[in-house]
Amino acid sequence: MVAIGFPHAAAIDKVARAYPKTQFAIVDAVVDLPNVQSFVYREHEGSFLAGMAAAMASRSGKVGMVGGMDIPLVRKFACGYEQGAKYADPKVEVKLNMIGSTPSAWTDPARGAELTKAQVAQGVDVVFSAAGTSGLGIMQAARDAGILAIGVDSNQNGLHPGTMLTSMVKRVDLAVEQAFRGVKPGVTALGLKEGGVGLAMDEHNAKLVTPAMRARLDAARADIVAGKLKVIDYTVAMACR
């Protein structure tokens, strides 16, 4: 059995204890039991590349992010994004807003749109959406304002072709496939090296990401994988700088 998402951690913990001979896996949470494999992602690495792309594409020198529920996981995205933006352009300004502090923050596209419009009013011309279905409002507001948006988790480039700079994809399918091939109890981390996170490049954003931008992104990716470029993990450091 595979559970997707940290809200299922308590349930997996309870059921795995009740059925110790059954194998379980969970994505985005850690359940420390001998019959559970916990998959976590180095989202900060993929978000670093998203921040680089945003800073390189920005004309105003101001980029933004609108997160969903204000929890360490979302701060992890934000921290990586800010580091990447400043790596590409040390002078860039990064604006950050969170939709809320309760689970309803994931399902409030109207609030997402409102915060995006506020960032646009401050000069932001690229916004990173990391807010679940609230992101639909963020990306729509970006399109309406004529600025660029960055999707999250799945490839969302096709939602608004021409204004979606890219998407920071999170390959949950890799975790599910690994679990189905045989649960290996413990914690499994997936990042750039394992192909667990990355930026979506396709026909929808081919004209927005220039060859020069791709070259810098590829170089940074290689350096992160090789360990030459360190990206701070907010959930470990509990700080971004």
Side-chain angles (χ1 to χ4, degrees):
M1 177 180 177
V2 181
I4 309 298
F6 63 87
H8 301 295
I12 288 294
D13 183 88
K14 181 178 180 180
V15 177
R17 290 177 188 275
Y19 298 93
K21 294 184 179 181
T22 301
Q23 295 182 321
F24 297 87
I26 186 167
V27 174
D28 277 350
V30 174
V31 176
D32 187 14
L33 290 173
N35 57 332
V36 180
Q37 183 171 8
S38 302
F39 289 93
V40 295
Y41 287 78
R42 297 195 295 276
E43 294 96 346
H44 51 295
E45 294 180 352
S47 297
F48 184 97
L49 298 183
M52 283 188 65
M56 289 189 287
S58 176
R59 295 182 178 181
S60 68
K62 297 179 181 181
V63 302
M65 173 180 159
V66 178
M69 187 176 174
D70 192 355
I71 54 176
L73 177 61
V74 180
R75 291 281 173 179
K76 188 177 181 182
F77 280 86
C79 184
Y81 180 71
E82 181 175 358
Q83 289 175 78
K86 292 187 178 296
Y87 180 79
D89 178 4
K91 296 181 179 179
V92 73
E93 292 183 36
V94 182
K95 308 290 185 181
L96 171 65
N97 291 106
M98 297 290 183
I99 291 175
S101 57
T102 66
S104 63
W106 302 116
T107 56
D108 193 349
R111 179 61 175 159
E114 180 183 338
L115 291 173
T116 302
K117 292 175 183 177
Q119 289 193 0
V120 172
Q122 297 177 66
V124 165
D125 60 358
V126 185
V127 61
F128 181 26
S129 164
T133 56
S134 296
L136 297 175
I138 298 167
M139 292 179 283
Q140 183 63 59
R143 181 179 179 82
D144 293 344
I147 71 166
L148 298 173
I150 298 174
V152 75
D153 291 342
S154 62
N155 184 355
Q156 298 179 314
N157 294 355
L159 292 178
H160 300 290
T163 60
M164 294 298 298
L165 178 61
T166 186
S167 295
M168 203 296 280
V169 294
K170 187 172 169 180
R171 296 287 306 280
V172 174
D173 59 311
L174 293 183
V176 174
E177 181 182 2
Q178 285 190 34
F180 285 168
R181 290 181 182 276
V183 166
K184 298 178 181 178
V187 178
T188 300
L190 301 174
L192 289 176
K193 183 177 182 179
E194 299 79 13
V197 296
L199 298 186
M201 300 294 176
D202 55 27
E203 69 276 11
H204 299 301
N205 67 340
K207 295 181 179 180
L208 298 175
V209 183
T210 67
M213 290 169 64
R214 291 200 66 160
R216 288 195 67 186
L217 290 168
D218 289 344
R221 180 189 182 284
D223 284 346
I224 292 171
V225 170
K228 296 179 181 178
L229 177 55
K230 303 293 185 180
V231 185
I232 296 171
D233 179 348
Y234 178 87
T235 59
V236 174
M238 297 308 290
C240 197
R241 303 178 205 168

